[in-house]
């Protein structure tokens, strides 16, 4: 039996991970630590029960982290908590350094102290692990003909978000080299799936379509991302936690490179197909293009490019496949259709977010007045 601390468990991937872990490891205890920033949602998690505990707190608080680690006798930390949106990092980088860099160090320090104490008397009775969840964006942008990044590819982060994640990754490595803290790292490509906050490309565009708004594609839509379903990411994290070696980094991706325009067109077609199959949807989402017999693709609208917009991310997951036996299971078009279905079926979840002043403020700042979208 393991006792897990999951930081950022109310965010997109964290919540999917907590749900996955509770389902597949019913014997384990899970403690979620989350500051409930704008991106955190209690409603993304199941109701609390004796198997898992909710703690609202900030990873930057080292003493608070220490207390929780002791109190819950945590042996496994899965660190998701971060500021995660590139566009917000361009607007205000400071918070990214505070949470992603200082916060990661505060958590590492707490873990080092607490796990170090009980090791004075000899080997710890349970194997321990600090797993740091990171991104492929730390490797920077690839040219069209470059090979996908491997674990040994040098870091070259371009956005403040990517730079803050890269700094955190280096700290995690340093705690292994310096203190022999049993760490593992994973660098994953773009995720999509349920409970994805509607500021990122896929969920934003789904809710925009359902609300009859335009789809603001940055630049010419030629940037390439390597999309992975969040459940495949969770399975990858499980493989690393159970079989990964301390000090090792594993890249997680599905060799599913698509231009943004391809993703958006696929999304539009998935929405149109869902409406065609279920006429009730047109009554319920009356502003959506298919409700008026218009293809969703007509809402594609090219807008000013993101500054420093990385052209291409592509990740080589061979090490994770070869050494830990992981492979992605969700085919992209099916995953996209299932994600559209999830947003159709969970309107309450996203409408509550759309109703928040903070969300509306961000959309207005980033894209102009909401009515222009
Ligand atoms: P998210 O923005 O949806 O969620 C982040 C969560 O962290 C939220 O619940 C938020 O409340 C919490 N949080 C923020 N600051 C905190 C703090 N100081 N203390 C405690 N909790 C705090 O992010 P996500 O998309 O779920 O990403 C999770 C992790 O995975 C991040 O570390 C991100 O860098 C990494 N990652 C994300 C992707 C992706 O495609 N989304 C891909 C690769 C890696
Ligand atoms: P995003 O979901 O923000 O993830 P990341 O920047 O971490 O890759 O964006 C994915 C791609 O979609 C990225 O190339 C930027 C682009 N994009 C748009 O074209 N329009 C948008 O409104 C958003 C949010 C993203």
């Amino acid at each position: 039996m393991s006792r897990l601390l999951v930081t950022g468990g109310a965010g997109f991937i964290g919540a999917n991970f907590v749900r996955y872990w509770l389902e597949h490891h019913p014997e384990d205890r899970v403690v979620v630590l989350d500051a409930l920033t704008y991106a955190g949602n209690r409603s993304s998690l199941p109701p609390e029960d004796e198997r898992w505990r909710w703690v609202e707190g900030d990873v930057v608080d080292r003493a608070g982290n220490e207390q929780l680690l002791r109190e819950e006798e945590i042996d496994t930390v899965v660190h998701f908590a971060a500021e995660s949106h590139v566009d917000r990092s361009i607007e205000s980088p400071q918070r990214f350094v505070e949470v992603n860099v200082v916060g990661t160090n505060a958590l590492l320090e707490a873990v080092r102290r607490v796990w170090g104490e009980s090791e004075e008397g000899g080997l710890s009775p349970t194997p321990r692990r600090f797993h740091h969840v990171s991104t492929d964006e730390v490797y920077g942008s690839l040219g069209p003909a470059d090979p996908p990044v491997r674990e040994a590819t040098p870091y070259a982060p371009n956005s403040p978000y990517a730079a803050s994640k890269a700094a955190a990754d280096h700290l995690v490595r340093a705690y292994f080299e310096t203190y022999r803290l049993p760490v593992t790292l994973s660098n994953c490509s773009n995720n999509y799936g349920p409970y994805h906050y509607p500021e990122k490309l896929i969920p934003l565009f789904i809710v925009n379509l359902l609300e009859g708004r335009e789809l603001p594609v940055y630049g010419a839509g030629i940037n390439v991302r390597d999309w992975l379903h969040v459940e495949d990411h969770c399975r990858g994290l499980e493989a690393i936690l159970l079989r990964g070696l301390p000090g090792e980094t594993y890249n997680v991706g599905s060799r599913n490179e698509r231009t943004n325009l391809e993703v958006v067109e696929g999304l539009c077609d998935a929405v149109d197909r869902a409406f065609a199959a279920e006429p009730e949807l047109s009554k319920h989402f009356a502003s959506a293009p298919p409700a008026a017999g218009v293809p969703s693709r007509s809402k594609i609208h090219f807008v000013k490019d993101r500054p420093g917009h990385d052209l291409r991310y592509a990740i080589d997951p061979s090490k994770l496949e070869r050494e830990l036996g992981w492979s992605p299971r969700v085919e992209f078009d099916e995953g996209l259709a299932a994600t559209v279905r999830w947003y159709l079926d969970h309107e309450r979840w996203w409408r509550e977010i759309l109703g928040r002043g903070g969300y509306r403020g961000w959309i207005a700042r980033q894209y102009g007045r909401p009515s222009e979208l």
Side-chain angles (χ1 to χ4, degrees):
M1 180 200 166
S2 289
R3 302 179 68 88
L4 277 76
L5 175 65
V6 178
T7 72
F12 163 46
I13 308 175
N16 276 283
F17 178 82
V18 169
R19 288 175 173 276
Y20 180 90
W21 203 268
L22 290 173
E23 190 186 330
H24 293 87
H25 300 273
E27 68 289 0
D28 287 353
R29 175 164 178 79
V30 174
V31 178
V32 171
L33 174 66
D34 196 294
L36 277 192
T37 68
Y38 80 91
N41 290 287
R42 266 305 252 115
S43 61
S44 300
L45 288 163
E48 204 173 351
D49 62 26
E50 67 289 347
R51 295 178 44 219
W52 83 274
R53 174 182 168 198
W54 165 258
V55 179
E56 188 169 335
D58 192 328
V59 289
V60 174
D61 174 11
R62 201 210 68 221
N65 296 337
E66 270 190 53
Q67 194 191 331
L68 191 57
L69 288 160
R70 282 205 184 88
E71 194 177 297
E72 287 285 350
E73 298 176 17
I74 297 296
D75 53 54
T76 304
V77 175
V78 192
H79 180 37
F80 293 95
E83 285 291 336
S84 70
H85 192 31
V86 172
D87 292 321
R88 287 188 192 249
S89 84
I90 294 168
E91 185 187 65
S92 13
Q94 183 72 22
R95 189 69 198 140
F96 284 71
V97 176
E98 284 160 9
V99 176
N100 300 0
V101 186
V102 179
T104 298
N105 190 62
L107 190 62
L108 285 163
E109 259 305 90
V111 167
R112 177 172 85 87
R113 286 174 189 226
V114 175
W115 290 355
E117 277 163 14
S118 54
E119 242 133 62
E120 275 165 20
L123 286 175
S124 74
T126 39
R128 290 183 166 133
R129 178 65 61 81
F130 182 104
H131 183 76
H132 178 61
V133 181
S134 191
T135 165
D136 59 357
E137 304 193 25
V138 299
Y139 299 111
S141 187
L142 296 175
D146 289 336
V149 296
R150 310 188 71 130
E151 289 77 3
T153 302
Y155 276 25
N158 293 319
S159 71
Y161 162 67
S164 67
K165 290 296 292 187
D169 292 9
H170 291 320
L171 280 165
V172 175
R173 279 175 47 83
Y175 272 71
F176 175 74
E177 294 297 333
T178 309
Y179 307 111
R180 291 286 135 187
L181 202 75
V183 309
T184 39
L185 286 97
S186 53
N187 294 85
C188 187
S189 60
N190 285 60
N191 283 212
Y192 69 99
Y195 302 106
H196 204 179
Y197 189 84
E199 66 181 353
K200 306 276 172 71
L201 180 74
I202 289 179
L204 174 70
F205 280 25
I206 295 174
V207 304
N208 275 6
L209 279 177
L210 298 181
E211 297 257 279
R213 287 195 289 264
E214 292 198 329
L215 308 178
V217 174
Y218 298 159
I222 55 167
N223 304 68
V224 173
R225 300 290 183 265
D226 177 358
W227 294 92
L228 181 75
H229 194 273
V230 65
E231 222 176 274
D232 279 328
H233 187 185
C234 292
R235 275 191 279 269
L237 294 171
E238 179 186 43
I240 298 167
L241 286 167
L242 299 181
R243 300 187 291 282
L245 296 178
E248 292 294 316
T249 291
Y250 300 89
N251 281 351
V252 193
S254 62
R255 300 189 184 85
N256 176 45
E257 290 184 52
R258 311 253 163 161
T259 65
N260 289 341
L261 200 53
E262 284 169 344
V263 171
V264 173
E265 287 176 349
L267 191 67
C268 288
D269 298 350
V271 168
D272 292 352
R273 275 196 300 275
F275 275 69
E278 199 179 327
E280 282 302 307
L281 288 175
S282 292
K283 288 189 204 138
H284 190 74
F285 296 104
S287 312
V294 178
S296 291
R297 287 185 185 208
S298 65
K299 290 286 182 185
I300 294 173
H301 180 66
F302 295 96
V303 300
K304 192 164 156 286
D305 209 354
R306 171 187 281 174
H309 196 173
D310 283 342
L311 177 67
R312 174 175 168 240
Y313 302 138
I315 201 149
D316 180 348
S318 312
K319 178 176 172 182
L320 185 59
E321 291 170 334
R322 197 180 54 244
E323 295 185 7
L324 304 187
W326 172 88
S327 60
R329 294 185 191 164
V330 184
E331 193 276 323
F332 185 67
D333 292 324
E334 281 168 25
L336 201 55
T339 304
V340 166
R341 189 71 245 172
W342 190 88
Y343 280 84
L344 290 169
D345 293 341
H346 293 79
E347 187 183 359
R348 241 173 73 189
W349 182 86
W350 54 265
R351 271 218 193 281
E352 193 271 316
I353 294 171
L354 263 57
R356 295 179 197 162
Y359 179 81
R360 290 201 305 272
W362 165 254
I363 295 294
R365 290 202 304 286
Q366 180 69 5
Y367 301 102
R369 285 186 298 116
S371 59
E372 285 169 6
L373 278 178

